[in-house]
């Protein structure tokens, strides 16, 4: 008897579980979700975490014998507010879901199914993605007005950059000035600099002018950064006649360690010749030397200076002068030329060498 009662209880539990599963299957006929917006009537997208979905619409189970549509598309089908992909997606009906057919489009390519809470309590399903039963006599339903497409704003064209760069003169005598002027519109940034320098050290506004006094023939560049981050450049070359490369320079004086100035020793000739090719040659008073230089605008840098290894005992102090001269040449940072005189400065702006042209 105990075994019979136990078997009866187990059977009762199994029947109850089966009934619950069946009821759940009948209630969950359609799964609501927003469409993917791609225009396709198959499949859809579940809102990602953090995005609140619209309230779930429930499609009632068709009564027996009523016209029925069952989804046959493996990925499900979009149910829309009208017969076409231009209409809004109401929900996504999964494979196997069923709904009551209450109408059909005039061309019989879309079924109208009953969806309480939707506009007119109806939704439209593409006929090719469902299997219809008992639907031959359903009435033709007029399509809702086609939604007006949202016009895509015409992007405002980005104005083209407008750049003007001029010089009041392009040939000067060393020591004279030239004026560079510019006007720039529709760009992100502007730089005006001597070629050889870093442009980022020379930012300027969109309109302005600057006097330049190059001691050597120098190109000046106006560089702009366009709205799309591309660059544009405009150059003007200012020729300096009688500048740094204009002949031989003879040392007149040099600075001392105490900050004073000392004339070149009588009876010695310390010279420098700057070549247009960037070469540097001369006499240090006893020994000859050679090397190279970088010069633009008023910048002067000496590099790879090599001195011969002779010894002179006269006039007295010539070797000390030579050592000081070579050391000071290696410290050169900038220069200026005026009235046939070349002045060389160190990185602190101190005048360290003075030459006369001759």
């Amino acid at each position: 008897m105990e075994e019979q009662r136990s078997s009866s209880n187990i059977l009762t539990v199994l029947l109850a579980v089966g009934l619950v599963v069946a009821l759940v299957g009948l209630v969950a006929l359609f799964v609501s979700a927003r469409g993917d917006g791609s225009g396709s009537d198959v499949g859809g997208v579940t809102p990602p975490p953090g995005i609140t979905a619209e309230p779930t619409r429930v499609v009632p189970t068709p009564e027996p014998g009523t016209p029925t549509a069952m989804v046959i598309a493996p990925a499900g089908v979009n149910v829309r507010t009208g017969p076409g992909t231009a209409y809004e997606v109401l929900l996504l009906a999964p494979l196997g879901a069923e709904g009551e057919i209450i109408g059909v489009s005039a061309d019989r390519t879309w079924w109208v199914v009953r969806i309480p809470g939707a506009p007119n309590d109806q939704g439209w399903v593409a006929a090719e993605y469902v299997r219809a039963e008992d639907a031959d006599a359903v009435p033709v339903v007029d399509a809702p007005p086609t939604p007006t497409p949202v016009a895509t704003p015409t992007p405002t064209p980005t104005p083209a950059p407008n750049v003007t760069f001029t010089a009041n003169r392009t040939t000067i005598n060393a020591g004279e000035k030239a004026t560079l002027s510019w006007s720039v519109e529709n760009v992100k940034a502007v730089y005006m600099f001597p070629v050889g320098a870093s442009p980022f050290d020379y930012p300027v506004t969109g309109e302005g002018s600057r006097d330049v006094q190059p001691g050597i023939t120098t190109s000046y560049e106006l560089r702009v950064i366009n709205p799309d981050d591309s660059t544009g450049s405009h150059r003007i070359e200012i020729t300096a006649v009688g500048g740094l490369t204009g002949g031989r320079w003879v040392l007149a004086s040099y600075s001392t360690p105490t900050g004073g100035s000392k004339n070149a020793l009588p009876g010695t000739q310390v010279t420098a010749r700057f070549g247009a090719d960037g070469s540097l040659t001369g006499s240090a008073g006893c020994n000859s030397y050679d090397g190279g230089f970088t010069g633009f605008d008023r910048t002067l840098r000496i590099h790879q200076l090599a001195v011969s290894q002779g010894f002179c005992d006269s006039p007295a102090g010539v070797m000390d002068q030579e050592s000081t001269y070579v050391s000071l040449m290696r410290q050169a940072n900038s220069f200026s030329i005026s009235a046939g005189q070349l002045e060389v400065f160190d990185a602190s702006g101190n005048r360290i060498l003075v030459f006369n042209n001759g």
Side-chain angles (χ1 to χ4, degrees), residues 153-233:
T154 302
T156 302
T158 302
N162 184 16
V163 180
T164 302
F165 187 35
T166 60
N168 69 332
R169 55 198 300 204
T170 56
T171 300
I172 61 173
N173 294 316
E176 296 178 341
K177 295 180 180 180
T179 301
L180 302 175
S181 302
W182 61 89
S183 177
V184 181
E185 296 177 336
N186 307 322
V187 300
K188 292 173 65 175
V190 188
Y191 305 90
M192 203 291 287
F193 59 97
V195 174
S198 169
F200 304 109
D201 292 335
Y202 296 84
V204 295
T205 58
E207 186 170 355
S209 63
R210 178 181 295 168
D211 289 338
V212 295
Q213 193 177 15
I216 187 172
T217 297
T218 300
S219 291
Y220 294 87
E221 180 174 320
L222 185 73
R223 182 176 298 182
V224 299
I225 308 299
N226 297 317
D228 62 358
D229 290 327
S230 63
T231 60
S233 62

Side-chain angles (χ1 to χ4, degrees), residues 226-282:
N226 297 317
D228 62 358
D229 290 327
S230 63
T231 60
S233 62
H234 304 261
R235 288 189 178 187
I236 295 176
E237 183 177 85
I238 305 297
T239 300
V241 178
L244 186 65
T245 58
R248 188 181 70 157
W249 298 96
V250 179
L251 181 68
S253 62
Y254 57 94
S255 65
T256 63
T258 60
S261 178
K262 190 173 184 178
N263 292 332
L265 281 172
T268 63
Q269 193 171 59
V270 179
T271 63
R273 188 182 294 274
F274 298 89
D277 60 354
S279 62
L280 171 62
T281 58

